[in-house]
Amino acid sequence: MTHEEHHAAKTLGIGKAIAVLTSGGDAQGMNAAVRAVVRVGIFTGARVFFVHEGYQGLVDGGDNIKEATWESVSMMLQLGGTVIGSARCKDFREREGRLRAAYNLKADAITTTAQSHQRTFVLEVMGRHCGYLALVTSLSCGADWVFIPECPPDDDWEEHLCRRLSETRNRGSRLNIIIVAEGAIDKNGKPITSEDIKNLVVKRLGYDTRVTVLGHVQRGGTPSAFDRILGSRMGVEAVMALLEGTPDTPACVVSLSGNQAVRLPLMECVQVTKDVTKAMGEKKFDEALKLRGRSFMNNWESGSHTVAVMNVGAPAAGMNAAVRSTVRIGLIQGNRVLVVHDGFEGLAKGQIEEAGWSYVGGWTGQGGSKLGTKRTLPKKSFEQISANITKFNIQGLVIIGGFEAYTGGLELMEGRKQFDELCIPFVVIPATVSNNVPGSDFSVGADTALNTICTTCDRIKQSAAGTKRRVFIIETMGGYCGYLATMAGLAAGADAAYIFEEPFTIRDLQANVEHLVQKMKTTVKRGLVLRNEKCNENYTTDFIFNLYSEEGKGIFDSRKNVLGHMQQGGSPTPFDRNFATKMGAKAMNWMSGKIKESYRNGRIFANTPDSGCVLGMRKRALLFQPVTELQDQTDFEHRIPKEQWWLKLRPILKILAKYEIDLDTSDHAHLEHITRKRSGEAAV
């Protein structure tokens, strides 16, 4: 952009006023959105006003409408709910509330209790008119059955449910989990309640069954890193939409489609909601499902071949959920599914066994890698790997892992020139905390790591609640990829985030120190600085800590913390569970088709570029991209993609920390129509 265009962005709001209010039930992430609206609005020169108590406050006026200042939102980021109050219009109409409730649902805790006592748990979740929360929860916790209002069960659902529960018990499972949306109904419109289901299971099967109605606990708690970033991004986009609008611009809803911010006409969204309600009232449930959108449908729908699945590289939360999904979808399709222990090394040594349905039972919520994973690449073991592919009759390979999984795929493609046995389809599912696999905006495990960093930052800041003038310097993982440092900085409200992709000098460090000196003169007397572990070989964490300690002497003191491998561990977040489950299902569906396509002269022979792919999210779609086509997009020396989408978010981090910088407004969402948005077959 030209200097004039940058200057225009900083004066875009002069002479304009923006009001921000929260409506509906409380939802984590609301405060992050309010904070972003206030600070970006002020940055552009606009006046920003709080409207307390939602639409009711807008109507009542008076003291309910107050001008916001930069400092008034300083402590909002990590708080749950909404600090400016909210007045309810209709229950559960805001998607943000539904999304956050799914992230807050603590289904691992319930699973542990059920396994200990061999029980059946019936969980009733919010969703009087929409089954989104119940559906995503069932995917995230590996439920046996889910009831949602959009898709009532068949008339003989009682028989099917009891048979399903009996089968899982007979396979050795010690627990059953059934998720029920509060608005669940049968095909005649009769409500299906959690108590109805409990009574059915107790009467017909005699199982010890407990009902848990989660209620408003789903609205409480601290917002996750995902919600803080989502709220911040949507808040920024909302300000841009307002300031760029004209009297002819229709009112819009700011949303997220895949990884892209979008603007949708408000009245079209309202009409779709009415259409869903009408379709359900007329018992046109298939139509209601379609109107919910492709993402909802993908969550709902998720000849015999032999497919092997393995983990490669460092462990990442969500790997087990991806393996479980791959195995079970493969079995449903009638395939024989093998699991490989210890990555390519295990494939070479023959550490391979067949997996049945119960083999992966309970894996969804478990962190790490149950199969074991190593960084070993296949090239040195092509002969042994080829022999085992023949021995076990492996016809397709699902590789779940990070940068090593991607480079291992490239080596397999190269090895096809020498070994025909390697001419089988394979697909790489990105799974790494570093989020550095070319071909995908997101990797399984990155959200869990980000949440761990964000939670740790919150606790560190809270530890100094009674101590003023203190700066914390925290080192994150990620190799040369600055994704974790940047996104954690955005989510935790950092004052600076040092990364390899954005080179910095001693002058930049001095400017950051001076910025914190000025900050200590305000009401907020704490600072947070994040450093990616390989951002600079000379400006180490110790160097930065010593610099801040020396230059801040007498003004603030400094503390440092290296988070280390705790970022790789722990139970996966609901986002990672859901993402991994969908990626595993999509990979296996692709694999089945590719194996059939590659069947020649009585055997599988796949030697085309599109028979070895990375499955990744690119903007708004899940795409299969040949690994060979991704080579030109890869910086192999530093193990990162040459272009990374999240770098465009770094100016937001600096603006929210009150730095005087230029804001590039050339890349923003455009108003779309819902009908056109749904017409794309690849939309996520």
Side-chain angles (χ1 to χ4, degrees):
M1 294 184 71
T2 65
H3 174 75
E4 289 73 16
E5 288 173 318
H6 280 302
H7 181 72
K10 296 182 67 174
T11 59
L12 191 61
I14 292 178
K16 299 179 181 178
I18 297 172
V20 55
L21 60 85
T22 53
S23 179
D26 288 1
Q28 295 87 336
M30 279 185 167
N31 291 322
V34 171
R35 173 178 176 269
V37 168
V38 170
R39 291 198 165 178
V40 175
I42 292 174
F43 175 83
T44 62
R47 297 180 68 190
V48 184
F49 293 86
F50 289 135
V51 179
H52 293 267
E53 309 308 330
Y55 287 112
Q56 190 62 50
L58 194 61
V59 173
D60 294 342
D63 291 338
N64 289 308
I65 303 178
K66 298 179 180 178
E67 187 162 1
T69 64
W70 189 276
E71 288 74 19
S72 64
V73 294
S74 294
M75 303 303 294
M76 276 191 176
L77 196 58
Q78 63 265 36
L79 299 177
T82 168
V83 299
I84 59 175
S86 174
R88 190 173 200 77
C89 291
K90 287 190 177 180
D91 287 343
F92 213 60
R93 297 292 288 272
E94 295 292 324
R95 184 178 185 277
E96 185 181 2
R98 297 196 298 272
L99 182 61
R100 180 51 210 166
Y103 274 69
N104 256 2
L105 198 55
K106 301 297 183 184
D108 279 346
I110 291 172
T111 297
T112 304
T113 303
Q115 285 177 328
S116 301
H117 299 280
Q118 196 164 2
R119 287 175 177 163
T120 296
F121 270 89
V122 182
L123 275 70
E124 182 179 304
V125 302
M126 287 182 170
R128 190 173 304 167
H129 304 293
C130 177
Y132 174 86
L133 179 57
L135 179 56
V136 173
T137 300
S138 68
L139 286 174
S140 299
C141 71
D144 296 278
W145 201 279
V146 60
F147 293 89
I148 61 174
E150 294 88 346
C151 194
D154 294 332
D155 291 335
D156 56 348
W157 64 268
E158 295 94 337
E159 297 291 338
H160 289 300
L161 173 60
C162 291
R163 183 171 66 251
R164 167 72 174 167
L165 298 181
S166 298
E167 288 173 351
T168 57
R169 286 291 175 95
N170 292 337
R171 286 195 292 262
S173 175
R174 296 181 59 85
L175 77 150
N176 300 111
I177 294 181
I178 302 167
I179 308 296
V180 189
E182 61 179 327
I185 55 175
D186 63 19
K187 289 196 171 180
N188 297 313
K190 179 183 176 182
I192 298 176
T193 68
S194 51
E195 285 296 328
D196 291 338
I197 297 168
K198 173 189 174 182
N199 294 335
L200 170 69
V201 174
V202 171
K203 182 178 179 180
R204 295 201 184 181
L205 300 176
Y207 293 169
D208 183 5
T209 305
R210 305 295 174 89
V211 171
T212 300
V213 180
L214 294 178
H216 282 72
V217 70
Q218 296 159 84
R219 296 190 185 278
T222 302
S224 68
F226 180 90
D227 268 337
R228 298 184 195 189
I229 295 168
L230 176 64
S232 298
R233 290 182 65 185
M234 292 173 71
V236 171
E237 192 60 46
V239 171
M240 292 297 103
L242 285 172
L243 297 182
E244 293 167 5
T246 68
D248 297 325
T249 303
C252 71
V253 174
V254 174
S255 185
L256 203 67
S257 177
N259 187 34
Q260 295 294 107
V262 295
R263 302 176 190 175
L264 304 174
L266 173 63
M267 296 315 297
E268 289 186 19
C269 295
V270 172
Q271 187 58 50
V272 169
T273 303
K274 291 180 178 178
D275 290 344
V276 172
T277 305
K278 180 181 177 183
M280 292 175 63
E282 296 175 353
K283 299 183 175 59
K284 297 178 180 177
F285 298 112
D286 287 342
E287 183 179 336
L289 268 177
K290 292 176 182 177
L291 286 168
R292 285 295 186 204
R294 183 162 298 277
S295 178
F296 195 99
M297 288 288 290
N298 286 343
N299 281 332
W300 183 252
E301 301 169 346
S302 282
S304 180
H305 305 290
T306 300
V307 180
V309 57
M310 61 195 293
N311 294 335
V312 174
M319 276 184 163
N320 295 323
V323 172
R324 171 184 176 271
S325 175
T326 302
V327 169
R328 290 192 168 179
I329 293 297
L331 294 173
I332 288 171
Q333 293 172 343
N335 296 319
R336 175 172 173 253
V337 184
L338 306 176
V339 292
V340 181
H341 297 273
D342 293 336
F344 286 117
E345 184 177 312
L347 186 59
K349 293 180 178 180
Q351 297 171 212
I352 302 168
E353 61 179 320
E354 187 167 352
W357 188 272
S358 59
Y359 187 94
V360 291
W363 281 27
T364 307
Q366 297 191 35
S369 169
K370 296 279 286 184
L371 295 181
T373 180
K374 292 188 176 181
R375 298 179 183 270
T376 309
L377 294 175
K379 191 172 184 178
K380 294 181 179 180
S381 306
F382 277 161
E383 190 170 336
Q384 297 94 321
I385 288 174
S386 298
N388 281 323
I389 287 175
T390 300
K391 177 181 177 181
F392 290 92
N393 191 31
I394 297 173
Q395 298 169 311
L397 191 60
V398 178
I399 308 169
I400 303 167
F403 201 84
E404 289 86 1
Y406 162 66
T407 52
L410 287 171
E411 290 188 2
L412 290 177
M413 293 295 286
E414 185 67 23
R416 288 177 174 181
K417 298 174 183 178
Q418 292 178 280
F419 299 90
D420 285 350
E421 295 86 351
L422 299 181
C423 293
I424 59 173
F426 70 83
V427 58
V428 175
I429 297 177
T432 168
V433 301
S434 300
N435 197 35
N436 64 335
V437 178
S440 188
D441 293 346
F442 290 116
S443 298
V444 172
D447 185 70
T448 302
L450 187 58
N451 228 44
T452 299
I453 298 169
C454 192
T455 301
T456 303
C457 289
D458 285 349
R459 290 175 179 172
I460 288 174
K461 289 194 294 185
Q462 289 165 7
S463 71
T467 306
K468 294 183 178 180
R469 299 188 177 89
R470 179 162 290 175
V471 175
F472 296 95
I473 300 163
I474 298 177
E475 180 182 296
T476 68
M477 294 179 73
Y480 287 99
C481 181
Y483 174 83
L484 288 179
T486 295
M487 301 304 271
L490 187 58
D495 296 282
Y498 301 119
I499 64 171
F500 170 78
E501 294 91 341
E502 193 173 276
F504 57 96
T505 66
I506 191 66
R507 294 183 184 85
D508 297 310
L509 293 173
Q510 290 172 330
N512 294 146
V513 171
E514 179 58 29
H515 175 80
L516 285 166
V517 168
Q518 296 303 316
K519 183 178 181 180
M520 296 302 162
K521 298 177 182 178
T522 69
T523 56
V524 183
K525 301 184 184 299
R526 289 196 303 275
L528 177 66
V529 175
L530 299 180
R531 178 189 178 275
N532 169 250
E533 60 182 343
K534 290 189 177 181
C535 65
N536 189 293
E537 63 180 348
N538 295 314
Y539 299 140
T540 64
T541 301
D542 286 337
F543 177 92
I544 293 175
F545 167 72
N546 291 332
L547 175 68
Y548 274 64
S549 298
E550 181 64 28
E551 296 299 318
K553 192 175 293 183
I555 303 171
F556 60 80
D557 61 358
S558 301
R559 297 288 187 274
K560 66 177 178 179
N561 194 304
V562 179
L563 300 185
H565 284 76
M566 66 181 292
Q567 297 160 82
Q568 290 180 326
S571 180
T573 60
F575 178 92
D576 273 332
R577 300 184 198 188
N578 187 22
F579 188 45
T581 298
K582 287 195 285 190
M583 294 284 273
K586 196 168 185 70
M588 185 55 83
N589 286 331
W590 175 89
M591 181 63 69
S592 296
K594 191 59 68 174
I595 289 176
K596 293 176 183 177
E597 180 185 308
S598 305
Y599 191 79
R600 303 174 189 173
N601 302 320
R603 71 185 185 99
I604 305 299
F605 188 79
N607 63 347
T608 58
D610 65 353
S611 61
C613 290
V614 170
L615 170 58
M617 174 176 280
R618 302 301 294 264
K619 295 186 177 179
R620 299 167 62 179
L622 290 176
L623 302 177
F624 291 92
Q625 304 145 98
V627 291
T628 52
E629 294 182 6
L630 294 172
Q631 291 185 86
D632 292 339
Q633 303 174 27
T634 307
D635 176 352
F636 286 97
E637 180 185 355
H638 299 106
R639 296 163 55 92
I640 55 175
K642 291 180 180 178
E643 293 186 6
Q644 303 188 81
W645 66 272
W646 49 266
L647 287 171
K648 296 180 180 179
L649 300 181
R650 286 187 61 81
I652 298 176
L653 187 157
K654 295 179 180 178
I655 288 171
L656 297 179
K658 208 175 183 179
Y659 280 89
E660 288 294 327
I661 68 162
D662 294 325
L663 177 63
D664 186 348
T665 61
S666 61
D667 184 22
H668 57 72
H670 299 282
L671 190 67
E672 299 184 10
H673 294 284
I674 294 178
T675 50
R676 177 162 58 84
K677 175 174 175 278
R678 279 209 214 85
S679 63
E681 286 299 314
V684 180

